[in-house]
Amino acid sequence: MAETATVQRIPVRFQGEGSGVEELTWGQWAAWRSMELGGGRVDWAGGTMPLVDGQTIEQIVMELAFLMSRHQSLRTRYRLGEDGLPRQVLADSGELLIEIVDAGEEDPAEVADALDIALQEAPFDNAEDWPVRAAVVCRDGTPVWFVVLYSHMAIDAYGIEALVNDLANLDRATGEHLAPVAGIQPADLARQQRAGAAKRQHNASLRHWEKQLREIAPDRFPPVADPPSPRYWEASYESPATYLALGVIAERTKAHSSTILLAAYVLMLARVSGYPTTVVRMLVSNRFRPGFKESVAGLAQSALCVVDTADVSFDELIARVWKTQLTAGMHAYYDPRGLWDMIARVGEERGATLDLQSYLNDRRRSMTAAEVLPQASAQDITGALPQSRLRWGRSSDDPGATVFFMINPVPDTVDLTLRVDTHRVAPDDLVAILRGIEELVVAAALQE
């Protein structure tokens, strides 16, 4: 952001029901552990968005105050107790400062992007700071862009959807709340997770995980000779041809595009690693559980998908992956502390460190909605292949997963991102996985 931009800060005052100290929820424990493993780096959800013409700063302040007052996760901070363990500390009132930036001669969208980065990288104190950061970019005093970030300690991507949906319950003329807040709040959830039903679900989930962990190969990626520096590499791949091909395969197999793409991904992992049985931790929203759909909180947890890719056709693999997704998704609700202990115990008993750092996150969040895919001809699909595009992302030495695969929410195409530990997956193999997914899906669509 250039020096021509001017900045002021204005308060958003809020007051809501509830206060006190409670244990962390299971989702908060997972986010806390992620921060610890990342050297204290906070993970943020949110981003930038253009504002509708005529929207005022006063309206934005009203909306933020409304959301902060209703959703306890947004006014919860995290402090260590005398035992050294973190607790969630809920306040019933407070004040959030938001930045108002006039773009001057700069492009407001570029200023918003720069603010997004700056707000993510600014120092953050879990014990003192609210888990929300916001800024408004103006052009000649008129708000044109909004930047808002939420700590993953407070919310996940599905929680942001619930947050946005709740704005329908604000009367923007009067500030009146039109309906009670829906969805379980974090402090109540922490108490619920200590009860019998949650404990039974936790135990069932861990039994499922342990059975899988005793059967998989502990380490499926051999070391890379002469790995590059920095260690962690990222690339994205946009493929309109894959998008068109998914419609053909979905019509034939009645499978969701997420399942089809996961089938292609695990098959490519098998080819690159040399192990036909692949292990992927798929992020599951858990929003299908009672009281969770409207909750503004972190509820997503990983499910363990173990898939044998050997000796099956691609359509048969899709069916196998679908069954695995269903079973794994039912066992994605657990106390992560128990899971961490169990992973360490099984690894010790097997005399090996279990590599479970292979992730999938379908960021489209479309599994719960009816999917509409195009019905394309073979000529349409092959004609779109020249439009495929590989983009290299940021490389760094920040600790990361062995492989982290994301399906990005880009309309009318398939946009994939893969981050890899190049000590285990060479850059050439990173590209081979992304291009191979396209090749597999297109070939499956064109088969007679």
Side-chain angles (χ1 to χ4, degrees), residues 89-375:
V89 182
L90 172 64
D92 58 7
S93 62
E95 180 179 285
L96 174 73
L97 293 177
I98 64 172
E99 295 188 0
I100 310 299
V101 180
D102 194 287
E105 298 301 317
E106 298 182 71
D107 182 341
E110 294 180 0
V111 173
D113 288 341
L115 275 170
D116 184 17
I117 295 171
L119 290 174
Q120 290 189 55
E121 295 181 348
F124 183 81
D125 187 340
N126 275 293
E128 301 297 333
D129 296 338
W130 303 114
V132 181
R133 287 179 164 174
V136 177
V137 179
C138 299
R139 166 60 61 87
D140 299 326
T142 300
V144 288
W145 279 86
F146 185 46
V147 184
V148 63
L149 298 170
Y150 305 95
S151 163
H152 271 299
M153 286 294 296
I155 201 170
D156 57 28
Y158 303 90
I160 291 179
E161 289 184 358
L163 196 71
V164 172
N165 291 338
D166 191 40
L167 284 171
N169 294 313
L170 169 64
D171 185 326
R172 288 173 170 79
T174 65
E176 181 183 351
H177 297 201
L178 302 178
V181 65
I184 192 166
Q185 304 272 21
D188 293 332
L189 179 60
R191 290 186 283 270
Q192 183 187 101
Q193 288 173 338
R194 293 197 295 268
K199 286 183 178 180
R200 289 191 292 273
Q201 175 63 57
H202 163 82
N203 291 334
S205 294
L206 260 60
R207 285 194 298 271
H208 172 77
W209 278 72
E210 182 167 357
K211 181 179 184 298
Q212 305 291 332
L213 296 183
R214 292 193 177 279
E215 297 175 353
I216 64 172
D219 189 354
R220 297 159 304 283
F221 295 92
V224 172
D226 193 24
S229 181
R231 178 168 179 170
Y232 295 92
W233 286 38
E234 175 183 298
S236 297
Y237 194 72
E238 182 183 356
S239 175
T242 300
Y243 177 68
L244 297 176
L246 286 172
V248 176
I249 301 171
E251 177 66 23
R252 183 175 71 234
T253 64
K254 308 307 178 187
H256 193 278
S257 63
S258 184
T259 301
I260 300 167
L261 290 170
L262 178 54
Y265 176 55
V266 297
L267 187 52
M268 288 309 304
L269 287 185
R271 291 179 179 179
V272 166
S273 68
Y275 282 89
T277 299
T278 60
V279 180
V280 174
R281 292 173 73 165
M282 175 184 71
L283 295 184
V284 175
S285 74
N286 278 316
R287 299 277 160 170
F288 58 88
R289 300 182 185 279
F292 284 10
K293 183 178 180 181
E294 297 88 1
S295 180
V296 175
L299 298 168
Q301 293 187 263
S302 65
L304 190 67
C305 294
V306 179
V307 184
D308 183 2
T309 66
D311 303 322
V312 289
S313 68
F314 190 67
D315 282 14
E316 291 169 333
L317 180 60
I318 291 170
R320 185 173 291 181
V321 166
W322 171 239
K323 292 177 182 178
T324 301
Q325 281 182 305
L326 283 178
T327 303
M330 294 303 297
H331 297 94
Y333 189 53
Y334 49 81
D335 185 336
R337 294 169 295 177
L339 178 66
W340 302 330
D341 291 343
M342 186 267 286
I343 290 172
R345 172 173 55 81
V346 172
E348 183 176 351
E349 292 173 3
R350 294 190 61 183
T353 299
L354 304 179
D355 180 6
L356 301 176
Q357 296 300 304
S358 300
Y359 289 91
L360 162 70
N361 183 10
D362 187 344
R363 299 176 61 238
R364 301 172 304 166
R365 301 187 293 281
S366 60
M367 289 292 282
T368 58
E371 189 173 38
V372 179
L373 292 169
Q375 293 303 302

